[in-house]
């Protein structure tokens, strides 16, 4: 009985200590996510499934913005969202996700950065690339040029699928 009682007591102390550490971490607003490069390993991506499902349920007809403090995993979330959208076979939409990092991009190059990543990611046909107003390194590419070029890109994407086309621009570092 003494061994069982002491074992039970030690277990209870261990659980009480663990509960105390959890409460203390919550009070200090401890962030359990790893700071550093985006986490690409699916096994290390956890705690965001509820957010991912919520986002997927409204993404078909909405533009969304994910905000949060620095170093909490927004970029990692975008990488995993891209994987999920590429693998989605169950909806009436075919997503063509394009991950765009705007860190260090000046405002004057905003639209050129968008279309550059779209062209590079989607592997457009040579004829479509030639019909675009975008030319790498050229100045003066603006919103009107971008709109023109999207009107050339979307029909090619529609040729790739029988489902409705959705071009998903996953833009990181917008600020």
């Amino acid at each position: 009985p003494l061994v069982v009682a002491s074992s039970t007591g030690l277990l209870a102390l261990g659980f009480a200590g663990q509960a105390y550490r959890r409460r203390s971490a919550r009070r200090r607003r401890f962030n359990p996510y790893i700071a550093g490069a985006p986490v690409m390993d699916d096994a290390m991506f956890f705690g965001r499934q509820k957010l991912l499902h919520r986002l997927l349920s409204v993404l078909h007809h909405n533009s969304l913005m994910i905000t949060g403090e620095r170093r909490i995993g927004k970029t990692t979330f975008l990488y995993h969202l891209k994987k999920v959208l590429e693998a989605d076979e169950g909806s009436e939409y075919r997503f063509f996700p394009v991950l765009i990092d705007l860190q260090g991009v000046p405002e004057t190059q905003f639209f050129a950065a968008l279309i550059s990543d779209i062209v590079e990611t989607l592997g457009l046909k040579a004829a479509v690339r030639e019909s675009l107003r975008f030319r790498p390194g050229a100045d003066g590419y603006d919103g009107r040029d971008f709109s023109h070029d999207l009107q050339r890109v979307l029909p090619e994407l529609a040729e790739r699928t029988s489902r409705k086309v959705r071009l998903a621009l996953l833009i990181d570092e917008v600020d």
Side-chain angles (χ1 to χ4, degrees):
L2 183 59
V3 171
V4 170
S6 60
S7 297
T8 304
L10 285 173
L11 273 172
L13 277 173
F15 283 122
Q18 189 176 23
Y20 172 76
R21 284 191 301 276
R22 283 185 182 153
R23 278 194 308 273
S24 176
R26 275 195 291 272
R27 275 195 307 272
R28 289 182 285 123
R29 301 173 75 75
F30 174 71
N31 183 349
Y33 299 101
I34 299 168
V39 177
M40 305 303 283
D41 182 7
D42 288 337
M44 295 293 294
F45 181 70
F46 52 88
R48 303 284 194 217
Q49 283 73 20
K50 185 177 178 181
L51 175 62
L52 186 61
H53 289 296
R54 201 167 113 210
L55 191 142
L56 290 173
S57 69
V58 298
L59 185 61
H60 301 90
H61 300 291
N62 293 292
S63 294
L64 303 170
M65 181 170 69
I66 300 168
T67 62
E69 297 176 29
R70 292 174 46 85
R71 315 294 323 160
I72 64 166
K74 297 181 295 293
T75 300
T76 295
F77 184 80
L78 288 177
Y79 276 102
H80 286 274
L81 177 60
K82 183 177 188 283
K83 282 184 190 177
V84 169
L85 291 175
E86 287 172 336
D88 181 30
E89 294 292 333
S91 72
E92 65 182 285
Y93 300 98
R94 166 77 194 279
F95 285 96
F96 292 91
V98 178
L99 193 59
I100 301 167
D101 186 359
L102 292 179
Q103 186 167 353
V105 174
E107 187 176 339
T108 57
Q109 294 296 311
F110 174 74
F111 291 108
L114 292 181
I115 198 68
S116 174
D117 285 344
I118 290 170
V119 168
E120 183 179 318
T121 300
L122 298 177
L124 302 173
K125 295 176 187 172
V128 174
R129 286 194 313 268
E130 288 299 317
S131 72
L132 301 179
R133 291 181 181 170
F134 171 72
R135 297 289 176 256
D139 290 333
Y141 188 85
D142 61 14
R144 293 176 62 91
D145 296 322
F146 180 73
S147 179
H148 171 273
D149 288 351
L150 277 184
Q151 299 305 316
R152 306 304 179 273
V153 169
L154 294 175
E156 182 187 326
L157 298 180
E159 291 175 7
R160 298 181 188 184
T161 183
S162 60
R163 297 186 285 170
K164 295 178 184 176
V165 170
R166 291 291 184 258
L167 178 61
L169 302 180
L170 308 176
I171 305 174
D172 197 13
E173 302 294 342
V174 173
D175 60 334

